[in-house]
Amino acid sequence: MSILAEASNLKKYFEINNGVFRKDSTFIKAVDDISFTVNHRETLGLVGESGSGKSTVARLFLNLIHPTAGEMRLNGIDIVGADSRTMKMLRQQIGIVFQDPSVSMNPRATIEWSLRRPLLTNGKKKVEIDSQIGDILQKVNLGMEVLTRYPHQLSGGQQQRISVARALLLQPQLLVLDEPTSALDISVQAQVLNVLLELQGEFDLAYLFISHDLNVVRYISDRVAIMYLGKLMEVGPVDTVLEHALHPYSRALASGSPPLSPHQRRRNRLLLSNEPTSMIDLPSGCHLHPRCPYKKGICVKVPPELQKVEKGHMAACHRIGKI
């Protein structure tokens, strides 16, 4: 498959002032030199604990915040250095679905207004707008009656499907899904995920699917990228990474995820010690070494680089093949 979106050596550091009378500053390295690709018509799952930098990656791709360094491209077009005209075109090609749909919609506006606004902003005609709204509501399994309602009059699943519909109105190529099902009940999660899978096949969409739920990621993703404290730990096919993880952090995440079947047993379980390190005071070397049972001297001193293990499978660990 050909590459649709890519990030190269992407960094985002947030500066924290240490006080009025001190001139030095501290930086939070929310995203620290990561590179990945999203291919046409595939889903890349971005997984990690809270504070790992996943949502920052989403905001960077949407150009809501600017990177400290690195490059981002969509269809080969530079996102970071894009002028306003190019960025307007790119924003039509990238859609976003947020975690909490009730927050992303105006509580004082009807659903019809929420769906019309992006089309009006981009110069669509009234006849086109009515037709597109009717079509997209049908695609997400909702009736026209929802148009006169307000967000609070819809269930969580209906709100999220409206968010998906709105994101697809401008016919994007890439959809960034930031924890789109974490606020929903299990049964409603399945409905939303199935809608996303159907829409992906119909519209030839690519998804950047951000989540902390490995079972959800496994259900919807083709590949997965494991992130920890701003770094990528492992990237590869979703079943390969979750069943045969090469990085201790990936294995620990898989160990902590509930099995899909009560008769299924987890092999090679791994529990990490302590809590994640503070982003303000990151450890030297590998960020995981304070919690890793396999750490050696080199892990404390030298940051590991992502290295290719086999085709499409990479990991950042000094002890690959020795764990």
Side-chain angles (χ1 to χ4, degrees):
M1 290 187 290
S2 58
I3 295 174
L4 171 64
E6 58 183 326
S8 301
N9 305 114
L10 192 61
K11 298 181 181 181
K12 181 59 184 178
Y13 298 169
F14 294 98
E15 184 177 4
I16 299 178
N17 293 322
N18 288 328
V20 177
F21 302 104
R22 296 184 63 180
K23 296 182 179 180
D24 57 328
S25 299
T26 302
F27 290 91
I28 292 179
K29 298 180 179 181
V31 176
D32 191 14
D33 196 16
I34 70 171
S35 300
F36 63 88
T37 60
V38 182
N39 297 318
H40 284 274
R41 298 180 295 278
E42 85 157 350
T43 300
L44 175 68
L46 189 59
V47 180
E49 294 171 281
S50 297
S52 61
K54 308 185 301 298
S55 293
T56 302
V57 172
R59 294 167 66 195
L60 286 168
F61 251 99
L62 294 163
N63 212 20
L64 298 177
I65 55 176
H66 298 291
T68 305
E71 297 181 349
M72 295 179 294
R73 296 183 180 276
L74 184 72
N75 280 324
I77 301 173
D78 181 21
I79 297 176
V80 177
D83 56 28
S84 58
R85 184 176 179 180
T86 304
M87 199 61 231
K88 183 177 180 180
M89 179 271 293
L90 289 173
R91 283 205 169 108
Q92 294 181 33
Q93 298 181 19
I94 306 176
I96 175 69
V97 177
F98 295 100
Q99 177 177 355
D100 189 345
S102 63
V103 173
S104 65
M105 289 187 282
N106 187 340
R108 298 185 177 183
T110 63
I111 299 304
E112 182 177 12
W113 184 90
S114 294
L115 294 177
R116 281 181 175 273
R117 188 182 180 194
L119 294 170
L120 289 169
T121 302
N122 286 275
K124 299 293 184 180
K125 297 179 181 179
K126 184 179 184 302
V127 177
E128 295 176 328
I129 291 175
D130 292 339
S131 175
Q132 281 187 258
I133 289 177
D135 288 343
I136 200 64
L137 284 178
Q138 186 178 16
K139 303 291 186 188
V140 297
N141 300 325
L142 291 173
M144 298 293 286
E145 69 276 2
V146 301
L147 293 177
T148 59
R149 298 178 185 173
Y150 291 85
H152 73 274
Q153 295 176 309
L154 302 180
S155 67
Q158 289 174 322
Q159 289 177 356
Q160 196 61 291
R161 279 183 280 169
I162 289 294
S163 296
V164 172
R166 184 177 57 182
L168 292 177
L169 280 171
L170 297 177
Q171 299 178 344
Q173 294 179 288
L174 173 67
L175 211 56
V176 178
L177 302 149
D178 190 3
E179 300 274 8
T181 61
S182 62
L184 306 176
D185 294 336
I186 295 295
S187 60
V188 181
Q189 284 186 21
Q191 295 174 17
V192 173
L193 291 173
N194 288 332
V195 166
L196 288 171
L197 288 172
E198 291 172 6
L199 292 171
Q200 184 176 35
E202 185 166 349
F203 291 99
D204 289 334
L205 294 166
Y207 292 153
L208 177 59
F209 191 92
I210 297 169
S211 180
H212 63 274
D213 189 328
L214 289 184
N215 286 332
V216 169
V217 169
R218 170 175 282 183
Y219 183 73
I220 197 170
S221 300
D222 301 296
R223 293 188 300 127
V224 63
I226 307 292
M227 199 168 178
Y228 180 70
L229 295 181
K231 292 280 193 181
L232 285 181
M233 301 286 104
E234 189 165 355
V235 182
V238 63
D239 288 332
T240 301
V241 172
L242 298 185
E243 290 294 333
H244 308 285
L246 297 172
H247 198 284
Y249 183 66
S250 305
R251 188 180 297 176
L253 284 183
S255 298
S257 177
L260 296 175
S261 167
H263 304 292
Q264 181 182 359
R265 292 186 176 182
R266 294 290 189 192
R267 293 176 297 174
N268 300 322
R269 290 177 60 88
L270 176 63
L271 298 178
L272 298 177
S273 59
N274 306 319
E275 294 294 324
T277 310
S278 169
M279 292 289 286
I280 298 177
D281 187 22
L282 291 172
S284 60
C286 176
H287 287 175
L288 188 69
H289 81 74
R291 307 174 66 192
C292 182
Y294 303 109
K295 70 178 179 182
K296 297 294 181 180
I298 189 174
C299 303
V300 179
K301 300 176 182 178
V302 182
E305 299 290 335
L306 269 179
Q307 53 182 302
K308 181 179 177 182
V309 181
E310 55 186 359
K311 185 177 181 180
H313 193 183
M314 299 182 293
C317 181
H318 293 299
R319 293 182 53 78
I320 288 177
K322 301 176 183 179
I323 296 175

